[in-house]
Amino acid sequence: MGKTVKQRKKKQYMYNVNRRKVQQKRKKKLEPRIPCEAIREAWDSRKHTKANLESMGLAFKVNAVLPVPPTSSSDQTSTAGPARRRPVTRPEVVSKLEAEANRPRERKVRLPTAQVRLVEHFLDKFGDDFVRMARSERNHYQLTPKQIRRLVTRFWDIPEHYTPYMKRKGMLEKPTVPEGDED
């Protein structure tokens, strides 16, 4: 025989919850964080994701737009119906994305400071003898001579590391113009 009174836990106020943070989390979940500036400017928060992307001329599902060709003849029997397309209302988004993708990028390759110090020590002490560098007691990671050569060439290729090193060694100084040669 069941109980006549429904038993429920009494609702209690949670004092340990920060209401403002809860509200911010809920807002973040509802509004997507879009890192691309061109898409963020054209985004309409009243539309859902698929409608937004289609109005910009972008694909929501890439496999639906560019289907994978069938590998065998038996797969060709399945026919997909024509996809319903919405008109593109914001074509400038695609042109902005293409311009941003074609813009030349700067290489931001750097070595960690510990590796820079190690390479500088090796070059100061051993010159370009990579076998002696590999046998050094400072070679904690037990790098082979070939690995050390690659590390040193990377160091030479990065001007942010190599130029200050050369200046400290006194090998890279500004050329001075003799006073008598001025035109």
Side-chain angles (χ1 to χ4, degrees):
M1 189 99 185
K3 296 182 181 177
T4 57
V5 179
K6 215 175 198 183
Q7 292 182 344
R8 279 188 215 131
K9 187 176 179 184
K10 181 185 167 190
K11 290 185 179 177
Q12 293 178 334
Y13 185 78
M14 292 186 285
Y15 291 96
N16 61 341
V17 175
N18 188 343
R19 302 284 166 211
R20 186 171 31 134
K21 281 188 179 179
V22 169
Q23 192 173 4
Q24 286 173 350
K25 281 183 184 178
R26 192 175 295 133
K27 183 181 175 187
K28 273 186 181 181
K29 223 177 206 181
L30 291 175
E31 293 181 12
R33 294 171 297 282
I34 304 167
C36 179
E37 187 179 336
I39 295 175
R40 191 181 332 116
E41 288 172 0
W43 194 265
D44 187 3
S45 59
R46 294 169 294 180
K47 292 182 182 177
H48 53 82
T49 307
K50 187 174 183 180
N52 263 312
L53 291 176
E54 285 180 354
S55 69
M56 293 179 214
L58 303 173
F60 180 68
K61 290 185 177 180
V62 180
N63 290 337
V65 176
L66 302 169
V68 179
T71 55
S72 64
S73 60
S74 63
D75 293 342
Q76 293 177 357
T77 56
S78 63
T79 57
R84 189 182 63 151
R85 301 196 134 247
R86 289 192 174 97
V88 177
T89 56
R90 298 188 191 103
E92 68 276 359
V93 175
V94 175
S95 59
K96 283 182 185 177
L97 288 174
E98 286 175 350
E100 188 179 326
N102 293 333
R103 193 178 74 228
R105 302 253 188 252
E106 237 181 71
R107 272 184 52 195
K108 297 276 185 182
V109 179
R110 293 199 177 135
L111 292 173
T113 54
Q115 281 188 349
V116 170
R117 276 189 262 133
L118 179 71
V119 170
E120 287 175 354
H121 168 75
F122 282 163
L123 290 174
D124 288 340
K125 192 166 183 179
F126 304 112
D128 60 351
D129 190 0
F130 301 112
V131 175
R132 285 180 57 207
M133 289 180 196
R135 291 180 183 157
S136 171
E137 59 196 28
R138 290 272 303 260
N139 185 7
H140 301 299
Y141 296 109
Q142 297 183 352
L143 299 173
T144 63
K146 212 170 197 177
Q147 289 171 327
I148 292 175
R149 186 182 331 126
R150 262 188 259 132
L151 186 65
V152 170
T153 52
R154 272 184 54 202
F155 174 77
W156 286 335
D157 290 341
I158 301 171
E160 288 111 16
H161 299 314
Y162 190 58
T163 308
Y165 170 72
M166 293 299 285
K167 283 182 180 175
R168 268 185 271 132
K169 296 275 290 183
M171 296 178 178
L172 190 71
E173 294 181 19
K174 292 183 181 178
T176 56
V177 178
E179 293 179 21
D181 289 343
E182 292 183 25
D183 292 309

